[in-house]
Amino acid sequence: MTNTLTDLAHRAGIVARYTDATGKVHDTNPDTQLALLTAMGVLPSGTADADSALTRLEAAAAARPLPEWIVTEAGAPLTLHPARPGGDWSLTLEDGQVLTGQAGSDLSLPPLPLGIHDLWLEGACTTVLSAPASLPEPPMGWGVTLPLYGLRPQDQGGLGSYADLAQAVRGLGAHGADFVGINPVHAGFPDDVLAFSPYAPSSRRRFSTAHIATDEARVPDAALIDYAAVLPRHTDALRRSFAARAADPAFSAYRAAEGDDLTRFALHQALSDRFGPYWPNWPEAYQHPDSPEVAAFAAEHADAVTFHAWLQFQAETQLTGVRDAARDAGMHYGLYLDLAVGTHPFGAETWAAPDLFARGVSLGAPPDAFAADGQMWNLAPLNPVALAKAGFRPLARILRAQLRFSSLLRIDHILGFDRAFWVPEAAGVPGAYVTMPKAALLAVVRIEAARAGATIIGEDLGNIPDGLQADLAASGILGCRVIMFEQTHDPQTPAFHPAAAYARRALTSFATHDLPTWQGWRSGLDIDWRRDLGSITPEHAAQALQDRARQVSALDQRLAAGTADVSALHQFLASTASRLVAVQIEDILGLEQQPNLPGTVFDHPNWRRRLPVGPADFATDARIRETAAIMAAAGRGGTAD
């Protein structure tokens, strides 16, 4: 049994052994193999009959004349070699055109257009991913990352809106910025005022309605955003606007074009209004989107479904306004959006297509120096078996939605395109890596980026699989470089890399939303927080603060500054070899507190900090003007004083 189980796990792509970030080697045990095989549907739930499952997999593979998917270069002829000669084939192109022919020992196809196509032979479908070999290298540029939610200062109240973002884009564009980066704006859980993390969305295909601009009267709020007060008030304003709406042909056309996908999402949201945000807590009959009870609810509550479809129309209309504002401001990229690594296990995405996701497991990370037991992110993993069966189109649709509004897209934790760490929900069962169809996923990214004329950033930080960065470079996907990590990591004598040593095909920044600001890093505020929260001991904190002081001194030497002046940091950033650089608005404004402290939820005010100035002030702010002048002096565009 054990040998068969191991063979089955290997066949399904479960990695038998891995080395974590601390250098410790982990072997995947039988309990983990069983849990992961069950999660991906290779083993039926509640059974350990690995022999039968392995026989089925081998028989299915032997019956196929061609692989389940192949990657080919768009515009180039393709010759395949079926396992058995002869047979009629048909190829359905993405646009619906059908080509047919007869296969011999070879199956020759003409040059194929960009897209995802279906090739049929002997009753089996092969997904043909016709992608450019590589995406073009982008021009040199710079931009600003900022928290959309925090764009409204305390005296204005409420939550930052898409209209505020458009104003910020115009102001930063006037300084010569090429892009404005924000955290994910995926659809969330409007009725759950505690589920406001942008990285645990309800659906990555749809957009957040929390940032729709309304005519509601704004009142001053607390210094930190109080979602429990802000979101209900905002929802009430949206419902009033919906009730007062006139017939809109544009909305009707949008709803028709979006079709069943939008209807199913809007139906989920209406059911959430009735039964609560998380579908596993609904009455059992409503947990299945194709049940008679769900159909009856849709008919009886058509106006509620229309309301949520209308909200998506409003969100996309206002995001179009942001995109157009960036274009009018002369920005090369405009919005720099962020694709979350996963989706909430109890949201609209998993309700609408439950078979697309692995069950009973969460995305996570293996043990490291800061999490001895590893991490469970409470995000539903895409099932590679189901994703391949769907022709990878679900991922393509998610990417295409984001690229409607941006020409620069960051894929969070792109390491998961190579291997994803799945953590079983069962207590005491450790996690393990699952191999993903990397070549196919990267091809889908190239297809959608080429279609949109976009540049893609892959967040390649952490325990990086061998060969992944070379594959990203070959695809023309830029990596991420973070200055605070670009050092020798010798605790006693740290040394930071020179600007010329930075990767050319990368987006470089000092930090990220999960890391300390410039001022917070220098003071060790993040270390103090972790000590005060009890996640590290006072002794560990004292040592970490000593190490940090040495790092600060070493970076000052690299910057040739010797002071805490952020302009020296920005000058160094501008002079790196990387094609793109991003400065954080928190650093420009001299803020000490970072947006998010990883590993915390409600014991720290994540995603709640407001900026001290509003977007109306961006065009005239002297600190932003100085940053732009630094970028201009380094040849990155921008405006000189």
Side-chain angles (χ1 to χ4, degrees), residues 457-490:
I457 311 295
E459 193 242 339
D460 54 345
L461 304 173
N463 194 7
I464 304 169
D466 292 341
L468 175 61
Q469 289 180 316
D471 291 334
L472 296 178
S475 286
I477 296 172
L478 275 62
C480 289
R481 297 296 177 268
V482 174
I483 288 176
M484 68 170 64
F485 296 153
E486 293 293 307
Q487 54 171 300
T488 60
H489 295 289
D490 182 338

Side-chain angles (χ1 to χ4, degrees), residues 309-326:
W310 178 81
L311 289 181
Q312 287 302 302
F313 172 67
Q314 293 298 314
E316 293 203 25
T317 298
Q318 293 188 13
L319 279 167
T320 299
V322 179
R323 182 195 65 196
D324 293 347

Side-chain angles (χ1 to χ4, degrees), residues 478-540:
L478 275 62
C480 289
R481 297 296 177 268
V482 174
I483 288 176
M484 68 170 64
F485 296 153
E486 293 293 307
Q487 54 171 300
T488 60
H489 295 289
D490 182 338
Q492 298 304 313
T493 57
F496 284 82
H497 303 323
Y502 278 70
R504 175 184 175 91
R505 298 193 71 132
L507 182 146
T508 292
S509 60
F510 170 69
T512 72
H513 56 268
D514 285 336
L515 295 169
T517 65
W518 167 248
Q519 294 291 350
W521 181 75
R522 298 183 71 87
S523 68
L525 180 60
D526 56 311
I527 300 170
D528 292 340
W529 277 339
R530 293 195 180 280
R531 178 200 60 212
D532 295 344
L533 290 170
S535 57
I536 58 175
T537 65
E539 294 76 17
H540 186 179

Side-chain angles (χ1 to χ4, degrees), residues 175-558:
H175 291 291
D178 296 297
F179 60 85
V180 172
I182 57 176
N183 296 124
V185 284
H186 306 314
F189 296 88
D191 291 329
D192 187 347
V193 296
L194 299 180
F196 48 78
S197 169
Y199 290 94
S202 176
S203 172
R204 292 172 297 170
R205 168 62 186 85
R206 296 295 162 186
F207 293 93
S208 172
T209 62
H211 304 291
I212 296 174
T214 68
D215 293 332
E216 64 183 300
R218 301 281 185 167
V219 296
D221 285 330
L224 294 173
I225 295 170
D226 182 357
Y227 286 92
V230 169
L231 291 181
R233 189 172 69 215
H234 182 254
T235 299
D236 288 345
L238 290 172
R239 290 191 181 280
R240 290 194 298 271
S241 296
F242 175 71
R245 79 193 189 286
D248 187 347
F251 170 52
S252 299
Y254 167 81
R255 195 172 185 184
E258 293 294 309
D260 292 342
D261 183 89
L262 174 64
T263 298
R264 181 163 287 201
F265 171 80
L267 177 54
H268 170 276
Q269 300 299 83
L271 285 162
S272 294
D273 288 341
R274 174 66 179 82
F275 297 116
Y278 303 123
W279 61 262
N281 298 330
W282 299 351
E284 204 277 336
Y286 296 95
Q287 296 179 21
H288 310 284
D290 297 319
S291 72
E293 289 83 357
V294 168
F297 180 93
E300 294 168 9
H301 300 85
D303 202 46
V305 176
T306 298
F307 170 64
H308 287 287
W310 178 81
L311 289 181
Q312 287 302 302
F313 172 67
Q314 293 298 314
E316 293 203 25
T317 298
Q318 293 188 13
L319 279 167
T320 299
V322 179
R323 182 195 65 196
D324 293 347
R327 179 200 60 208
D328 295 344
M331 286 188 169
H332 182 80
Y333 299 100
L335 271 184
Y336 170 28
L337 291 183
D338 200 353
L339 177 66
V341 65
T343 191
H344 195 288
F346 306 145
E349 220 175 321
T350 58
W351 179 81
D355 293 339
L356 193 58
F357 298 90
R359 306 285 188 90
V361 293
S362 167
L363 287 173
D368 59 28
F370 297 100
D373 296 325
Q375 300 175 42
M376 178 183 280
W377 297 340
N378 295 313
L379 297 173
L382 281 169
N383 185 343
V385 176
L387 187 59
K389 188 176 295 185
F392 305 98
R393 290 178 175 86
L395 174 62
R397 286 192 286 269
I398 289 171
L399 291 167
R400 198 175 306 162
Q402 303 298 307
L403 295 173
R404 286 182 190 173
F405 309 108
S406 67
S407 294
L408 191 61
L409 178 66
R410 174 186 178 270
I411 299 177
D412 187 31
H413 196 71
I414 203 168
L415 313 188
F417 275 33
D418 186 302
R419 59 183 191 181
F421 197 79
W422 291 11
V423 183
E425 293 174 355
V429 180
Y433 279 110
V434 173
T435 302
M436 298 296 287
K438 174 176 60 174
L441 301 180
L442 293 179
V444 172
V445 170
R446 296 197 303 275
I447 289 169
E448 296 304 325
R451 200 192 303 272
T455 297
I456 305 296
I457 311 295
E459 193 242 339
D460 54 345
L461 304 173
N463 194 7
I464 304 169
D466 292 341
L468 175 61
Q469 289 180 316
D471 291 334
L472 296 178
S475 286
I477 296 172
L478 275 62
C480 289
R481 297 296 177 268
V482 174
I483 288 176
M484 68 170 64
F485 296 153
E486 293 293 307
Q487 54 171 300
T488 60
H489 295 289
D490 182 338
Q492 298 304 313
T493 57
F496 284 82
H497 303 323
Y502 278 70
R504 175 184 175 91
R505 298 193 71 132
L507 182 146
T508 292
S509 60
F510 170 69
T512 72
H513 56 268
D514 285 336
L515 295 169
T517 65
W518 167 248
Q519 294 291 350
W521 181 75
R522 298 183 71 87
S523 68
L525 180 60
D526 56 311
I527 300 170
D528 292 340
W529 277 339
R530 293 195 180 280
R531 178 200 60 212
D532 295 344
L533 290 170
S535 57
I536 58 175
T537 65
E539 294 76 17
H540 186 179
Q543 183 60 57
L545 287 169
Q546 291 178 21
D547 294 343
R548 178 67 58 79
R550 284 189 285 267
Q551 293 174 11
V552 170
S553 177
L555 183 54
D556 283 348
Q557 292 178 30
R558 173 58 66 192

Side-chain angles (χ1 to χ4, degrees), residues 15-81:
V15 176
R17 172 179 291 183
Y18 72 89
T19 303
D20 68 27
T22 67
K24 182 179 179 180
V25 176
H26 300 259
D27 290 313
T28 303
N29 66 37
D31 288 341
T32 299
Q33 292 171 339
L34 278 171
L36 269 54
L37 288 166
T38 302
M40 63 177 64
V42 173
L43 276 178
S45 180
T47 181
D49 188 0
D51 295 275
S52 297
L54 183 59
T55 299
R56 286 194 303 271
L57 282 184
E58 291 175 341
R64 294 191 60 88
L66 291 169
E68 191 171 10
W69 55 268
I70 57 174
V71 175
T72 187
E73 184 175 353
L78 174 63
T79 299
L80 303 173
H81 307 286

